[in-house]
Amino acid sequence: MKNIIFLAPPAAGKGTLSEMLVEKYGYGHISTGDLLREEVAAKTELGKKAEGLMKAGKFVPDEIILKLIENRITKPDCENGYILDGFPRTKIQAEKYDELLKDLGKELGIVIYIDIDKQMAIERACSRITCPNCGRIFNKYSVEMKPKVEGICDDCGAKLTQRADDTEETFIKRFDEYMEKTMPLYDYYNKKGVLKNIKAYVSKYDTFAEAVKVIEE
Ligand code: AMP
């Protein structure tokens, strides 16, 4: 199975799409944001270093991220393919990732770019609620994505919370930083011939259908 890198601004729906693809294809799912939030919640040394940067909508240093990635892609659930959600975010991270793959004898796979309008992303992020226990993502105002019982996770019954960095002000900073630092990756992967474009639709099923098409083509 092809490894997948998602290249998408915050709130483009890569987390939700990853959940759907993991269910369909059995991929390992690697979200650097989730890995970092776990470290923060567990109050590890790494988490303490990352917390302030994340709250400010800033990037966490490459050494930390690369170490998390190396530990994760060598786990058994990633043997038959994995989805990278939130990494690489800069050209330097992409180059370091290429070196890591070479060292580990692993394939790059394909890169899927999810195109989303900034205003739509802001609205989505500000109404997004997540389960701190199992990581499932909901949206207060979406018919498709709202929890069955308000404020409670459908899967595990935990109380849903809003991410600390999903306030409008922080979100706009994250969106703009993403565009500035990550868009050069679009050209980087386009030149390698591995880039596939899809659109973020209002319905997650439409976005999913497009993703399946480019994965299977
Ligand atoms: P995300 O959940 O992907 O939106 O990530 C949340 C936050 O984690 C980001 O705003 C960054 O502070 C940090 N982060 C996640 N992935 C990376 C990465 N690849 N490089 C640097 N910082 C990251």
Side-chain angles (χ1 to χ4, degrees), residues 16 123-124 127-129 136-150 154 201-205:
T16 302
E123 281 161 21
R124 265 194 189 176
S127 54
R128 172 162 68 181
I129 37 178
R136 185 157 167 199
I137 304 154
F138 296 88
N139 190 299
K140 284 187 262 189
Y141 302 121
S142 152
V143 181
E144 257 174 22
M145 302 269 300
K146 69 177 179 200
K148 291 195 184 101
V149 178
E150 197 183 320
D154 291 357
Y201 291 94
V202 174
S203 167
K204 64 179 181 179
Y205 299 106

Side-chain angles (χ1 to χ4, degrees), residues 8-11 14 31-37 50-62 64-66 68-69 85-90 93 128 163 165-166 170-171 174 177-178:
K14 57 186 159 52
S31 153
T32 41
D34 285 349
L35 291 175
L36 288 165
R37 280 184 286 278
E51 189 172 15
L53 293 164
M54 290 172 75
K55 278 220 177 97
K58 296 271 169 210
F59 281 178
V60 171
D62 291 344
I64 294 183
I65 301 288
L66 261 299
L68 285 174
I69 291 289
D85 160 0
F87 174 89
R89 266 181 154 90
T90 61
Q93 285 187 359
R128 172 162 68 181
R163 275 173 46 173
D165 57 357
D166 270 348
T170 307
F171 181 79
R174 280 164 60 209
E177 183 165 19
Y178 186 91

Side-chain angles (χ1 to χ4, degrees), residues 14-175:
K14 57 186 159 52
T16 302
L17 195 52
S18 299
E19 281 171 13
M20 296 171 91
L21 293 173
V22 165
E23 203 181 322
K24 183 171 170 70
Y25 297 108
Y27 283 117
H29 178 213
I30 308 172
S31 153
T32 41
D34 285 349
L35 291 175
L36 288 165
R37 280 184 286 278
E38 279 164 22
E39 299 281 339
V40 171
K43 297 190 169 33
T44 62
E45 276 312 303
L46 194 156
K48 282 181 203 155
K49 275 189 206 151
E51 189 172 15
L53 293 164
M54 290 172 75
K55 278 220 177 97
K58 296 271 169 210
F59 281 178
V60 171
D62 291 344
E63 314 78 73
I64 294 183
I65 301 288
L66 261 299
K67 201 69 224 158
L68 285 174
I69 291 289
E70 182 173 355
N71 289 344
R72 192 62 190 80
I73 64 174
T74 46
K75 293 246 162 76
D77 68 322
C78 292
E79 249 167 45
N80 294 320
Y82 54 85
I83 297 175
L84 281 178
D85 160 0
F87 174 89
R89 266 181 154 90
T90 61
K91 195 157 165 249
I92 293 176
Q93 285 187 359
E95 286 164 355
K96 291 192 173 157
Y97 179 57
D98 281 345
E99 284 166 23
L100 179 65
L101 289 177
K102 211 165 138 202
D103 290 347
L104 297 174
K106 286 183 179 280
E107 296 281 324
L108 178 64
I110 61 168
V111 179
I112 300 180
Y113 178 69
I114 314 176
D115 187 27
I116 187 166
D117 167 72
K118 183 170 174 178
Q119 196 51 41
M120 180 170 160
I122 294 171
E123 281 161 21
R124 265 194 189 176
C126 295
S127 54
R128 172 162 68 181
I129 37 178
T130 48
C131 176
N133 185 42
C134 71
R136 185 157 167 199
I137 304 154
F138 296 88
N139 190 299
K140 284 187 262 189
Y141 302 121
S142 152
V143 181
E144 257 174 22
M145 302 269 300
K146 69 177 179 200
K148 291 195 184 101
V149 178
E150 197 183 320
I152 302 293
C153 178
D154 291 357
D155 289 346
C156 70
K159 201 162 171 265
L160 300 171
T161 52
Q162 187 174 33
R163 275 173 46 173
D165 57 357
D166 270 348
T167 63
E168 183 163 343
E169 197 193 347
T170 307
F171 181 79
I172 290 173
K173 254 193 226 141
R174 280 164 60 209
F175 192 95

